[in-house]
Protein backbone atom coordinates (compact mmCIF):
# COMPACT_ATOMS: atom_id res chain seq x y z
CA UNK A 1 0.00 0.00 0.00
CA UNK A 2 1.42 3.37 -0.98
CA UNK A 3 2.41 5.67 1.83
CA UNK A 4 2.07 9.43 1.55
CA UNK A 5 3.49 11.75 4.19
CA UNK A 6 2.53 15.36 4.73
CA UNK A 7 3.62 17.98 7.21
CA UNK A 8 0.87 19.60 9.21
CA UNK A 9 1.39 22.60 11.48
CA UNK A 10 -0.96 22.26 14.41
CA UNK A 11 -1.85 25.04 16.81
CA UNK A 12 -1.78 23.21 20.14
CA UNK A 13 -3.84 25.83 21.88
CA UNK A 14 -3.71 25.71 25.64
CA UNK A 15 -6.91 27.53 26.50
CA UNK A 16 -8.34 28.40 29.85
CA UNK A 17 -11.15 26.02 30.73
CA UNK A 18 -14.48 27.06 29.23
CA UNK A 19 -17.60 25.37 30.61
CA UNK A 20 -19.21 23.03 28.09
CA UNK A 21 -22.73 22.70 29.37
CA UNK A 22 -25.96 21.50 27.90
CA UNK A 23 -28.75 23.98 27.39
CA UNK A 24 -27.17 26.25 24.75
CA UNK A 25 -28.46 26.64 21.23
CA UNK A 26 -26.94 23.86 19.19
CA UNK A 27 -25.62 23.80 15.60
CA UNK A 28 -26.79 20.19 15.23
CA UNK A 29 -30.35 19.81 14.01
CA UNK A 30 -31.98 17.49 16.53
CA UNK A 31 -35.56 18.44 15.59
CA UNK A 32 -36.18 19.31 19.23
CA UNK A 33 -38.85 21.32 20.94
CA UNK A 34 -37.76 24.54 22.63
CA UNK A 35 -37.21 24.19 26.38
CA UNK A 36 -36.31 27.19 28.55
CA UNK A 37 -34.28 25.21 31.06
CA UNK A 38 -30.99 27.16 30.92
CA UNK A 39 -29.43 30.31 29.48
CA UNK A 40 -29.00 30.24 25.71
CA UNK A 41 -26.82 31.97 23.15
CA UNK A 42 -27.13 32.02 19.39
CA UNK A 43 -23.84 33.16 17.87
CA UNK A 44 -21.41 30.58 19.26
CA UNK A 45 -21.57 27.10 20.72
CA UNK A 46 -18.68 25.12 22.21
CA UNK A 47 -16.22 25.95 19.45
CA UNK A 48 -18.74 26.53 16.67
CA UNK A 49 -19.47 29.98 15.22
CA UNK A 50 -22.48 31.20 13.24
CA UNK A 51 -22.01 33.49 10.25
CA UNK A 52 -24.36 36.24 9.06
CA UNK A 53 -26.27 33.76 6.89
CA UNK A 54 -27.03 31.56 9.89
CA UNK A 55 -24.61 28.79 8.83
CA UNK A 56 -22.58 27.04 11.55
CA UNK A 57 -18.93 26.09 11.11
CA UNK A 58 -16.13 24.89 13.37
CA UNK A 59 -14.21 27.99 14.45
CA UNK A 60 -10.77 26.63 13.58
CA UNK A 61 -12.00 25.85 10.06
CA UNK A 62 -13.10 29.47 9.70
CA UNK A 63 -10.64 31.39 7.51
CA UNK A 64 -10.77 34.28 9.95
CA UNK A 65 -9.86 32.13 12.96
CA UNK A 66 -6.35 32.43 14.38
CA UNK A 67 -4.78 31.15 17.55
CA UNK A 68 -3.13 33.61 19.89
CA UNK A 69 -1.23 30.97 21.84
CA UNK A 70 1.80 28.78 21.22
CA UNK A 71 2.15 26.55 18.17
CA UNK A 72 4.18 23.47 17.41
CA UNK A 73 4.92 21.64 14.16
CA UNK A 74 3.80 18.02 13.89
CA UNK A 75 4.45 15.58 11.07
CA UNK A 76 1.43 13.37 10.35
CA UNK A 77 1.27 10.39 8.00
CA UNK A 78 -1.63 10.51 5.57
CA UNK A 79 -1.76 6.71 5.37
CA UNK A 80 -0.27 4.39 8.02
CA UNK A 81 2.43 2.00 6.93
CA UNK A 82 0.91 -1.47 6.64
CA UNK A 83 2.89 -4.66 5.97
CA UNK A 84 1.89 -5.70 2.46
CA UNK A 85 -0.68 -8.50 2.34
CA UNK A 86 -0.67 -9.28 6.07
CA UNK A 87 -2.33 -6.34 7.79
CA UNK A 88 -5.87 -6.09 6.54
CA UNK A 89 -8.46 -4.50 8.87
CA UNK A 90 -10.50 -7.09 10.74
CA UNK A 91 -14.25 -6.61 10.57
CA UNK A 92 -14.62 -8.70 13.73
CA UNK A 93 -12.68 -6.03 15.64
CA UNK A 94 -14.50 -3.10 14.03
CA UNK A 95 -11.26 -1.78 12.54
CA UNK A 96 -11.41 1.31 10.34
CA UNK A 97 -7.97 2.93 10.12
CA UNK A 98 -7.51 6.68 9.88
CA UNK A 99 -5.73 7.53 6.64
CA UNK A 100 -5.90 11.32 6.36
CA UNK A 101 -3.18 13.45 7.90
CA UNK A 102 -5.31 16.57 8.25
CA UNK A 103 -7.97 14.67 10.18
CA UNK A 104 -5.34 13.08 12.41
CA UNK A 105 -3.92 16.53 13.12
CA UNK A 106 -7.34 17.93 14.05
CA UNK A 107 -8.02 14.98 16.36
CA UNK A 108 -4.71 15.43 18.18
CA UNK A 109 -5.28 19.16 18.47
CA UNK A 110 -8.72 18.56 20.02
CA UNK A 111 -7.26 15.95 22.36
CA UNK A 112 -4.56 18.33 23.59
CA UNK A 113 -7.16 20.99 24.30
CA UNK A 114 -9.48 18.56 26.14
CA UNK A 115 -6.65 17.00 28.14
CA UNK A 116 -4.88 20.22 29.16
CA UNK A 117 -8.13 21.95 30.16
CA UNK A 118 -9.08 19.09 32.49
CA UNK A 119 -5.51 18.79 33.74
CA UNK A 120 -5.93 22.32 35.09
CA UNK A 121 -8.98 21.34 37.16
CA UNK A 122 -9.30 20.58 40.83
CA UNK A 123 -11.34 17.60 42.02
CA UNK A 124 -14.24 19.92 42.86
CA UNK A 125 -14.39 21.17 39.27
CA UNK A 126 -12.75 24.56 39.84
CA UNK A 127 -9.79 25.65 37.72
CA UNK A 128 -6.17 26.01 38.78
CA UNK A 129 -3.44 27.94 37.01
CA UNK A 130 -0.52 25.74 35.99
CA UNK A 131 2.84 27.33 35.32
CA UNK A 132 4.88 26.61 32.24
CA UNK A 133 4.60 26.96 28.49
CA UNK A 134 2.95 24.77 25.91
CA UNK A 135 5.58 22.04 25.82
CA UNK A 136 5.76 21.80 29.62
CA UNK A 137 2.00 21.39 29.85
CA UNK A 138 2.04 18.71 27.16
CA UNK A 139 4.67 16.76 29.08
CA UNK A 140 2.41 16.73 32.14
CA UNK A 141 -0.23 14.67 30.34
CA UNK A 142 -0.81 10.99 31.13
CA UNK A 143 -2.47 9.69 27.97
CA UNK A 144 -3.88 6.31 26.99
CA UNK A 145 -4.79 5.57 23.41
CA UNK A 146 -7.50 2.96 22.92
CA UNK A 147 -7.08 0.75 19.85
CA UNK A 148 -4.13 2.44 18.09
CA UNK A 149 -4.28 0.01 15.16
CA UNK A 150 -1.60 0.90 12.62
CA UNK A 151 -0.54 3.97 14.62
CA UNK A 152 -1.93 6.95 12.71
CA UNK A 153 -2.67 8.84 15.95
CA UNK A 154 0.22 7.24 17.85
CA UNK A 155 2.80 8.53 15.37
CA UNK A 156 1.62 12.10 15.98
CA UNK A 157 1.04 11.83 19.72
CA UNK A 158 4.53 10.59 20.57
CA UNK A 159 6.44 13.67 19.33
CA UNK A 160 3.74 15.93 20.77
CA UNK A 161 3.55 14.67 24.36
CA UNK A 162 6.52 12.30 24.69
CA UNK A 163 6.65 8.54 24.46
CA UNK A 164 6.87 8.12 28.25
CA UNK A 165 3.57 9.97 28.69
CA UNK A 166 1.61 7.71 26.35
CA UNK A 167 0.42 4.13 26.74
CA UNK A 168 -1.75 2.08 24.39
CA UNK A 169 -4.44 -0.60 24.77
CA UNK A 170 -4.58 -2.96 21.79
CA UNK A 171 -6.10 -6.43 21.33
CA UNK A 172 -4.74 -7.12 17.83
CA UNK A 173 -1.38 -8.93 18.00
CA UNK A 174 -0.41 -7.56 14.59
CA UNK A 175 -0.80 -3.99 15.83
CA UNK A 176 1.15 -4.73 19.00
CA UNK A 177 4.02 -6.11 16.94
CA UNK A 178 3.93 -3.25 14.42
CA UNK A 179 3.87 -0.49 17.05
CA UNK A 180 6.59 -2.18 19.12
CA UNK A 181 8.87 -2.14 16.08
CA UNK A 182 8.04 1.48 15.17
CA UNK A 183 8.26 2.81 18.74
CA UNK A 184 10.51 0.56 20.88
CA UNK A 185 9.99 2.59 24.07
CA UNK A 186 6.19 2.65 23.89
CA UNK A 187 4.20 0.81 26.58
CA UNK A 188 1.50 -1.29 24.91
CA UNK A 189 -1.02 -3.34 26.89
CA UNK A 190 -2.08 -6.35 24.83
CA UNK A 191 -5.64 -6.43 26.17
CA UNK A 192 -9.34 -6.27 25.34
CA UNK A 193 -10.42 -2.65 25.80
CA UNK A 194 -13.61 -3.81 27.53
CA UNK A 195 -11.55 -5.41 30.30
CA UNK A 196 -9.28 -2.45 31.09
CA UNK A 197 -8.88 -1.63 34.79
CA UNK A 198 -8.60 2.17 34.55
CA UNK A 199 -8.18 2.84 38.31
CA UNK A 200 -5.19 0.50 38.38
CA UNK A 201 -3.65 2.23 35.37
CA UNK A 202 -4.19 5.60 37.03
CA UNK A 203 -2.21 4.46 40.06
CA UNK A 204 0.76 3.41 37.95
CA UNK A 205 3.71 5.66 37.24
CA UNK A 206 4.09 6.42 33.53
CA UNK A 207 7.63 7.73 33.96
CA UNK A 208 10.13 8.77 36.59
CA UNK A 209 8.51 12.18 36.97
CA UNK A 210 5.06 11.09 38.14
CA UNK A 211 3.58 8.91 40.86
CA UNK A 212 0.24 8.20 39.23
CA UNK A 213 -2.78 10.36 38.58
CA UNK A 214 -5.76 10.98 36.31
CA UNK A 215 -5.63 9.73 32.73
CA UNK A 216 -6.63 11.41 29.47
CA UNK A 217 -8.15 9.08 26.84
CA UNK A 218 -7.84 9.31 23.07
CA UNK A 219 -9.01 6.76 20.55
CA UNK A 220 -10.64 5.85 17.27
CA UNK A 221 -13.33 3.61 18.78
CA UNK A 222 -14.99 0.60 17.12
CA UNK A 223 -18.64 1.46 16.47
CA UNK A 224 -20.06 -1.74 17.89
CA UNK A 225 -18.67 -1.28 21.43
CA UNK A 226 -18.59 2.52 21.71
CA UNK A 227 -21.29 2.75 24.39
CA UNK A 228 -19.70 0.01 26.49
CA UNK A 229 -16.32 1.77 26.39
CA UNK A 230 -17.89 5.10 27.35
CA UNK A 231 -19.80 3.58 30.28
CA UNK A 232 -16.53 2.10 31.56
CA UNK A 233 -14.94 5.57 31.44
CA UNK A 234 -17.90 7.03 33.35
CA UNK A 235 -17.42 4.46 36.11
CA UNK A 236 -13.68 5.17 36.18
CA UNK A 237 -14.41 8.86 36.78
CA UNK A 238 -15.97 7.91 40.15
CA UNK A 239 -12.50 8.00 41.69
CA UNK A 240 -11.00 10.55 39.28
CA UNK A 241 -9.08 7.93 37.29
CA UNK A 242 -10.27 9.49 34.02
CA UNK A 243 -10.32 13.25 33.46
CA UNK A 244 -11.09 13.52 29.73
CA UNK A 245 -11.83 11.47 26.63
CA UNK A 246 -11.42 12.57 23.01
CA UNK A 247 -12.80 9.76 20.88
CA UNK A 248 -14.32 9.03 17.50
CA UNK A 249 -17.70 7.37 17.21
CA UNK A 250 -20.66 7.04 14.91
CA UNK A 251 -22.19 10.45 14.23
CA UNK A 252 -25.60 9.34 15.48
CA UNK A 253 -24.13 8.25 18.83
CA UNK A 254 -22.40 11.61 19.24
CA UNK A 255 -25.70 13.37 18.53
CA UNK A 256 -27.39 11.40 21.29
CA UNK A 257 -24.78 12.35 23.86
CA UNK A 258 -25.07 16.11 23.26
CA UNK A 259 -28.84 16.15 22.58
CA UNK A 260 -31.08 18.60 24.47
CA UNK A 261 -34.34 17.36 26.00
CA UNK A 262 -37.51 16.92 23.97
CA UNK A 263 -36.05 15.32 20.85
CA UNK A 264 -35.72 11.81 19.47
CA UNK A 265 -31.93 11.72 19.99
CA UNK A 266 -32.37 12.20 23.75
CA UNK A 267 -31.92 8.98 25.75
CA UNK A 268 -29.89 7.06 28.32
CA UNK A 269 -26.54 8.14 26.85
CA UNK A 270 -27.65 11.77 27.07
CA UNK A 271 -28.69 11.56 30.71
CA UNK A 272 -25.57 9.70 31.85
CA UNK A 273 -22.94 11.75 30.07
CA UNK A 274 -24.50 15.16 30.60
CA UNK A 275 -24.52 14.27 34.32
CA UNK A 276 -20.97 12.94 34.35
CA UNK A 277 -19.24 15.28 31.92
CA UNK A 278 -19.27 18.44 29.88
CA UNK A 279 -19.87 17.13 26.36
CA UNK A 280 -18.79 18.63 23.05
CA UNK A 281 -18.81 17.41 19.45
CA UNK A 282 -15.61 18.83 17.99
CA UNK A 283 -16.40 18.08 14.35
CA UNK A 284 -17.97 15.63 11.91
CA UNK A 285 -15.66 13.13 10.17
CA UNK A 286 -16.53 11.88 6.66
CA UNK A 287 -16.16 8.19 5.70
CA UNK A 288 -13.46 9.04 3.15
CA UNK A 289 -10.75 9.54 5.79
CA UNK A 290 -10.97 5.90 6.94
CA UNK A 291 -9.76 2.62 5.46
CA UNK A 292 -11.98 0.77 4.83
CA UNK A 293 -14.68 3.41 4.44
CA UNK A 294 -17.58 3.03 6.89
CA UNK A 295 -21.10 3.56 5.56
CA UNK A 296 -21.86 6.40 7.97
CA UNK A 297 -20.34 9.66 9.15
CA UNK A 298 -18.36 9.79 12.38
CA UNK A 299 -17.95 12.41 15.11
CA UNK A 300 -15.06 13.43 17.32
CA UNK A 301 -16.48 13.81 20.81
CA UNK A 302 -14.80 15.53 23.74
CA UNK A 303 -15.80 14.56 27.29
CA UNK A 304 -14.58 16.61 30.25
CA UNK A 305 -15.55 14.49 33.25
CA UNK A 306 -16.68 16.66 36.15
CA UNK A 307 -14.89 14.49 38.76
CA UNK A 308 -16.13 12.73 41.91
CA UNK A 309 -16.66 15.80 44.09
CA UNK A 310 -18.77 17.70 41.59
CA UNK A 311 -20.62 14.50 40.66
CA UNK A 312 -21.52 13.92 44.31
CA UNK A 313 -22.67 17.53 44.54
CA UNK A 314 -24.99 17.01 41.57
CA UNK A 315 -26.33 13.74 42.98
CA UNK A 316 -26.61 15.01 46.58
CA UNK A 317 -26.82 11.53 48.07
CA UNK A 318 -28.64 9.80 45.19
CA UNK A 319 -26.82 6.56 44.41
CA UNK A 320 -25.78 6.14 40.75
CA UNK A 321 -26.99 2.53 40.78
CA UNK A 322 -30.48 3.71 41.77
CA UNK A 323 -30.41 6.36 39.06
CA UNK A 324 -29.48 3.67 36.55
CA UNK A 325 -32.57 1.66 37.55
CA UNK A 326 -34.83 4.67 37.06
CA UNK A 327 -33.34 5.80 33.75
CA UNK A 328 -33.26 2.34 32.15
CA UNK A 329 -36.83 1.61 33.28
CA UNK A 330 -38.36 4.71 31.73
CA UNK A 331 -36.36 4.67 28.49
CA UNK A 332 -37.26 1.03 27.88
CA UNK A 333 -40.76 2.46 27.43
CA UNK A 334 -39.83 5.83 26.00
CA UNK A 335 -43.13 6.18 24.12
CA UNK A 336 -45.00 5.82 27.40
CA UNK A 337 -45.26 8.34 30.20
CA UNK A 338 -42.88 8.26 33.15
CA UNK A 339 -45.79 6.97 35.24
CA UNK A 340 -46.12 3.87 33.06
CA UNK A 341 -42.38 3.39 32.72
CA UNK A 342 -41.76 3.50 36.47
CA UNK A 343 -44.72 1.49 37.74
CA UNK A 344 -42.99 -1.91 37.70
CA UNK A 345 -39.79 -0.60 39.31
CA UNK A 346 -41.77 1.34 41.93
CA UNK A 347 -43.68 -1.82 42.85
CA UNK A 348 -40.37 -3.64 43.30
CA UNK A 349 -38.95 -0.87 45.51
CA UNK A 350 -42.05 0.11 47.50
CA UNK A 351 -43.83 -3.23 47.71
CA UNK A 352 -47.55 -2.43 47.40
CA UNK A 353 -49.98 -0.64 45.07
CA UNK A 354 -51.02 2.02 47.57
CA UNK A 355 -47.48 3.24 48.12
CA UNK A 356 -46.78 3.11 44.38
CA UNK A 357 -49.86 5.25 43.66
CA UNK A 358 -48.85 7.70 46.35
CA UNK A 359 -45.37 8.00 44.84
CA UNK A 360 -46.60 8.48 41.26
CA UNK A 361 -49.19 11.06 42.35
CA UNK A 362 -46.85 12.98 44.66
CA UNK A 363 -45.50 16.46 44.06
CA UNK A 364 -41.74 17.00 43.74
CA UNK A 365 -39.61 17.19 46.86
CA UNK A 366 -37.98 20.51 47.76
CA UNK A 367 -34.58 20.82 46.13
CA UNK A 368 -31.60 20.13 48.43
CA UNK A 369 -29.90 23.20 49.87
CA UNK A 370 -26.72 22.63 47.86
CA UNK A 371 -28.73 22.60 44.61
CA UNK A 372 -30.44 25.86 45.59
CA UNK A 373 -27.02 27.42 46.23
CA UNK A 374 -25.78 26.25 42.83
CA UNK A 375 -28.90 27.65 41.17
CA UNK A 376 -28.26 31.02 42.79
CA UNK A 377 -24.72 30.85 41.42
CA UNK A 378 -26.11 30.30 37.92
CA UNK A 379 -25.07 26.65 37.53
CA UNK A 380 -26.78 25.41 34.34
CA UNK A 381 -27.19 21.84 35.57
CA UNK A 382 -28.83 22.92 38.84
CA UNK A 383 -31.06 25.46 37.07
CA UNK A 384 -32.64 22.59 35.12
CA UNK A 385 -33.09 20.27 38.13
CA UNK A 386 -36.50 21.34 39.47
CA UNK A 387 -39.22 18.79 38.63
CA UNK A 388 -42.56 20.05 37.27
CA UNK A 389 -45.65 19.14 39.28
CA UNK A 390 -46.91 16.93 36.46
CA UNK A 391 -43.61 15.04 36.17
CA UNK A 392 -45.26 11.61 36.05
CA UNK A 393 -47.27 12.53 32.95
CA UNK A 394 -44.16 13.55 31.01
CA UNK A 395 -42.36 11.33 28.52
CA UNK A 396 -38.75 10.42 29.41
CA UNK A 397 -37.17 12.67 26.77
CA UNK A 398 -38.94 15.70 28.27
CA UNK A 399 -36.98 15.52 31.53
CA UNK A 400 -33.45 16.78 32.14
CA UNK A 401 -30.67 14.70 33.73
CA UNK A 402 -31.08 16.71 36.94
CA UNK A 403 -34.80 15.98 37.03
CA UNK A 404 -34.10 12.25 36.80
CA UNK A 405 -31.95 12.67 39.91
CA UNK A 406 -34.95 14.19 41.71
CA UNK A 407 -37.24 11.33 40.66
CA UNK A 408 -34.67 8.86 41.95
CA UNK A 409 -34.50 10.76 45.26
CA UNK A 410 -38.29 10.49 45.59
CA UNK A 411 -38.29 6.75 44.95
CA UNK A 412 -35.13 5.56 46.73
CA UNK A 413 -34.23 8.34 49.11
CA UNK A 414 -30.66 9.62 49.44
CA UNK A 415 -27.58 9.21 51.63
CA UNK A 416 -27.37 12.00 54.20
CA UNK A 417 -23.60 11.64 54.45
CA UNK A 418 -23.24 12.14 50.68
CA UNK A 419 -20.04 14.19 50.77
CA UNK A 420 -18.01 11.25 52.02
CA UNK A 421 -20.06 8.33 50.67
CA UNK A 422 -17.95 6.33 48.18
CA UNK A 423 -19.25 5.91 44.66
CA UNK A 424 -19.42 2.29 43.50
CA UNK A 425 -16.65 1.30 41.11
CA UNK A 426 -18.97 -0.50 38.70
CA UNK A 427 -22.39 0.98 37.91
CA UNK A 428 -22.79 1.59 34.18
CA UNK A 429 -20.39 -0.90 32.63
CA UNK A 430 -21.39 -4.55 32.33
CA UNK A 431 -20.63 -6.84 35.26
CA UNK A 432 -18.42 -9.09 33.13
CA UNK A 433 -16.33 -6.13 31.93
CA UNK A 434 -13.28 -5.14 33.95
CA UNK A 435 -12.10 -6.60 37.23
CA UNK A 436 -14.32 -6.86 40.30
CA UNK A 437 -11.81 -4.88 42.34
CA UNK A 438 -11.81 -1.69 40.24
Amino acid sequence: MAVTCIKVTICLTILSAMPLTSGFSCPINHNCQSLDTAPRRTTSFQGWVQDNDGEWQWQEDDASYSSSVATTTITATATPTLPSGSFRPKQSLGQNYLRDGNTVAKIVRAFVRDATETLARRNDGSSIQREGGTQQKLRQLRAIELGPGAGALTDVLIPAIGISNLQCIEIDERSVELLSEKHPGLTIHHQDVLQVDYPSLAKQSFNNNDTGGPISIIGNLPYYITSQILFALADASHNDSIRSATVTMQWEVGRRIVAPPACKDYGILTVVFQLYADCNIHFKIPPTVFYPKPKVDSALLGLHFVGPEKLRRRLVGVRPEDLRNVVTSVFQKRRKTVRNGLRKLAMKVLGDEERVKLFLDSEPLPLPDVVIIDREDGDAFALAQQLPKDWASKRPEQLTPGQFIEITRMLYGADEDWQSSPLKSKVWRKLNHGSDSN
Side-chain angles (χ1 to χ4, degrees), residues 142 144 167 196-206 212-213 215 236 239 241 435 437-438:
R142 291 163 46 83
I144 289 184
Q167 297 188 8
V196 174
D197 185 342
Y198 293 104
S200 293
L201 287 175
K203 294 176 183 177
Q204 296 177 12
S205 172
F206 275 33
I215 293 168
N239 63 4
S241 296
S435 68
S437 61
N438 67 343

Side-chain angles (χ1 to χ4, degrees), residues 142-347:
R142 291 163 46 83
I144 289 184
E145 183 183 358
L146 304 181
L153 291 172
T154 318
D155 295 344
V156 181
L157 284 166
I158 287 176
I161 67 175
I163 196 168
S164 62
N165 296 325
L166 175 67
Q167 297 188 8
C168 298
I169 308 292
E170 178 58 66
I171 193 173
D172 191 341
E173 292 183 4
R174 303 170 305 165
S175 295
V176 174
E177 181 178 351
L178 175 65
L179 292 175
S180 297
E181 292 177 357
K182 290 170 66 177
H183 307 291
L186 179 64
T187 299
I188 307 170
H189 303 272
H190 185 199
Q191 188 179 11
D192 183 348
V193 69
L194 296 179
Q195 303 301 331
V196 174
D197 185 342
Y198 293 104
S200 293
L201 287 175
K203 294 176 183 177
Q204 296 177 12
S205 172
F206 275 33
N207 53 58
N208 295 330
N209 298 322
D210 77 62
T211 57
I215 293 168
S216 302
I217 298 293
I218 182 173
N220 175 26
L221 304 185
Y223 288 160
Y224 74 105
I225 55 172
T226 295
S227 297
Q228 299 169 51
I229 293 173
L230 294 178
F231 282 138
L233 298 180
D235 279 352
S237 75
H238 284 175
N239 63 4
D240 209 27
S241 296
I242 302 294
R243 280 283 176 90
S244 72
T246 309
V247 290
T248 64
M249 61 189 62
Q250 190 172 339
W251 175 250
E252 295 302 322
V253 176
R255 282 169 55 101
R256 292 173 197 157
I257 289 175
V258 301
C263 65
K264 65 179 182 179
D265 291 329
Y266 192 89
I268 294 177
L269 285 174
T270 321
V271 173
V272 173
F273 288 98
Q274 291 186 18
L275 165 63
Y276 274 73
D278 297 325
C279 312
N280 177 34
I281 289 184
H282 287 296
F283 52 85
K284 180 184 283 190
I285 307 174
T288 52
V289 306
F290 293 98
Y291 171 75
K293 296 178 185 178
K295 297 180 180 179
V296 295
D297 290 321
S298 301
L300 183 71
L301 183 79
L303 296 173
H304 294 192
F305 289 99
V306 299
E309 290 189 23
K310 190 170 182 179
L311 179 61
R312 286 192 186 94
R313 189 176 180 90
R314 287 181 171 183
L315 292 167
V316 199
V318 168
R319 292 172 290 276
E321 56 269 30
D322 296 337
L323 177 65
R324 174 178 176 166
N325 291 337
V326 168
V327 172
T328 54
S329 294
V330 296
F331 278 104
Q332 283 173 354
K333 299 181 179 180
R334 65 176 299 141
R335 294 186 179 181
K336 304 291 185 180
T337 64
V338 172
R339 178 186 299 276
N340 290 330
L342 277 182
R343 189 177 299 277
K344 184 177 180 179
L345 176 63
M347 177 62 71

Side-chain angles (χ1 to χ4, degrees), residues 69-128:
V69 196
T71 64
T72 185
T73 301
I74 291 179
T75 301
T77 54
T79 305
T81 303
L82 304 179
S84 177
S86 64
F87 205 104
R88 296 183 180 275
K90 290 184 177 180
Q91 185 177 4
S92 61
L93 297 179
Q95 292 176 336
N96 295 92
Y97 298 130
L98 285 163
R99 58 179 296 154
D100 176 69
N102 289 321
T103 302
V104 169
K106 289 177 68 176
I107 291 173
V108 173
R109 181 171 55 202
F111 165 72
V112 168
R113 181 169 55 221
D114 289 337
T116 51
E117 285 179 359
T118 52
L119 185 69
R121 190 208 73 206
R122 295 186 178 91
N123 288 339
D124 62 1
S126 61
S127 298
I128 56 176

